[in-house]
């Protein structure tokens, strides 16, 4: 039973492809049933029309028309049942095929994740993240060292030299203030100049020099 079922779907073929082929076959059968239903519906309408036309004038013809109409309606009912079964089977196969494709995709992604994680462990991840943090810290230190000034100046020496310059400026200003001339208002008397008294010997020497010159 199982062997015949598998042979019906193509044996060991790809299940997804077998499902698609089965769906195609079911849809083709469904189209045939729909065409048959259209044909029967036309026959039913024709027999009903004939029965109405002969209901009074020819009851035998009308009765035969109604009998054929009933047979077509019974056939229509059977076709409706078959069509319903085909539609349900198509929906079942489409759902199963979707489930199959979903499982294949999930399994494929699971295998990929398994291969990826096969070469990894939480310890490896922790170790790698620690190394990354260490290298990042080293990179920051290198960047700071590169951007720092080459010559480092002692701040205390700068302050000492600045203090010396300030003191020198103050000294120059004080020295300039001592040489400023004193302003004497107009009308004020100048202080008497000191009288210089020459020594007697110097006076006599000058008088002798004047006599010799005569």
């Amino acid at each position: 039973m199982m062997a015949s079922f598998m042979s019906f779907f193509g044996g060991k073929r790809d299940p997804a492809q077998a499902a698609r082929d089965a769906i195609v076959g079911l849809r083709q059968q469904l189209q045939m049933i729909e065409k048959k239903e259209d044909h029967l519906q036309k026959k039913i309408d024709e027999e009903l029309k004939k029965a109405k036309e002969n209901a009074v004038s020819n009851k035998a013809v009308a009765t035969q028309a109604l009998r054929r109409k009933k047979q077509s309606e019974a056939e229509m009912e059977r076709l409706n049942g078959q069509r319903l079964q085909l539609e349900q089977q198509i929906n079942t196969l489409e759902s199963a095929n979707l489930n199959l494709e979903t499982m294949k995709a999930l399994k494929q992604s699971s295998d990929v994740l398994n291969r990826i994680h096969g070469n990894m462990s939480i310890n490896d991840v922790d170790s790698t993240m620690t190394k990354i943090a260490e290298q990042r810290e080293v990179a920051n230190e290198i960047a700071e060292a590169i951007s720092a000034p080459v010559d480092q100046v002692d701040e205390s020496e700068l302050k000492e030299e600045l203090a010396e310059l300030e003191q020198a400026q103050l000294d120059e200003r004080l020295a300039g203030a001592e040489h400023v001339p004193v302003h004497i208002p107009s009308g004020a008397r100048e202080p008497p100049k000191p009288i210089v008294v020459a020594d007697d010997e110097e006076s006599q020497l000058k008088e002798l020099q004047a006599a010799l010159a005569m």
Side-chain angles (χ1 to χ4, degrees):
M1 179 69 178
M2 182 61 68
S4 61
F5 180 78
M6 292 300 293
S7 63
F8 177 77
F9 285 103
K12 296 183 179 180
R13 288 190 304 162
D14 179 24
Q17 183 61 44
R20 288 192 288 270
D21 292 343
I23 291 172
V24 171
L26 291 171
R27 290 191 181 281
Q28 290 176 349
Q29 185 64 24
L30 186 60
Q31 290 177 355
M32 291 178 60
I33 290 176
E34 289 174 350
K35 291 180 180 179
K36 182 66 174 177
E37 286 177 337
D38 292 340
H39 176 69
L40 288 174
Q41 186 62 48
K42 290 179 180 179
K43 287 183 63 177
I44 291 170
D45 294 339
E46 289 175 358
E47 297 298 337
L48 180 59
K49 181 180 179 181
K50 185 181 292 185
K52 288 180 179 180
E53 291 175 350
N54 296 279
V56 177
S57 60
N58 194 341
K59 292 185 178 181
V61 173
T63 302
Q64 291 296 325
L66 289 175
R67 186 176 288 111
R68 288 190 295 269
K69 175 177 141 335
K70 290 292 184 180
Q71 292 175 351
S72 296
E73 288 176 345
E75 182 67 19
M76 178 75 80
E77 288 294 329
R78 288 193 294 271
L79 290 177
N80 285 335
Q82 292 178 12
R83 179 165 55 82
L84 180 61
Q85 291 294 332
L86 288 173
E87 290 173 348
Q88 290 178 346
Q89 190 69 5
I90 290 172
N91 291 333
T92 301
L93 279 173
E94 288 178 342
S95 178
N97 193 40
L98 179 61
N99 292 338
L100 178 62
E101 295 294 339
T102 301
M103 287 301 300
K104 286 174 62 178
L106 290 173
K107 186 178 183 304
Q108 183 178 5
S109 63
S110 177
D111 294 340
V112 172
L113 287 174
N114 190 29
R115 289 196 298 270
I116 292 174
H117 293 156
N119 299 323
M120 297 173 60
S121 68
I122 189 63
N123 293 330
D124 293 336
V125 174
D126 291 339
S127 177
T128 301
M129 296 307 296
T130 300
K131 291 179 180 179
I132 290 175
E134 292 175 352
Q135 292 302 319
R136 191 172 295 165
E137 184 176 353
V138 170
N140 291 334
E141 292 177 355
I142 292 173
E144 291 178 359
I146 292 174
S147 60
V150 178
D151 297 330
Q152 296 292 335
V153 179
D154 190 354
E155 293 293 331
S156 60
E157 292 181 0
L158 291 177
K159 292 180 179 179
E160 183 178 350
E161 185 176 353
L162 179 60
E164 291 177 357
L165 291 175
E166 291 178 351
Q167 186 61 43
Q169 287 288 337
L170 291 174
D171 292 342
E172 289 181 2
R173 292 179 182 179
L174 291 175
E178 292 178 355
H179 294 84
V180 174
V182 179
H183 177 69
I184 300 175
S186 59
R189 295 179 61 187
E190 294 184 3
K193 296 181 180 180
I195 300 174
V196 180
V197 178
D199 295 338
D200 292 341
E201 292 180 356
E202 185 178 357
S203 178
Q204 292 177 3
L205 180 59
K206 290 182 178 180
E207 291 178 356
L208 180 60
Q209 290 176 350
L212 289 174
M214 294 178 63

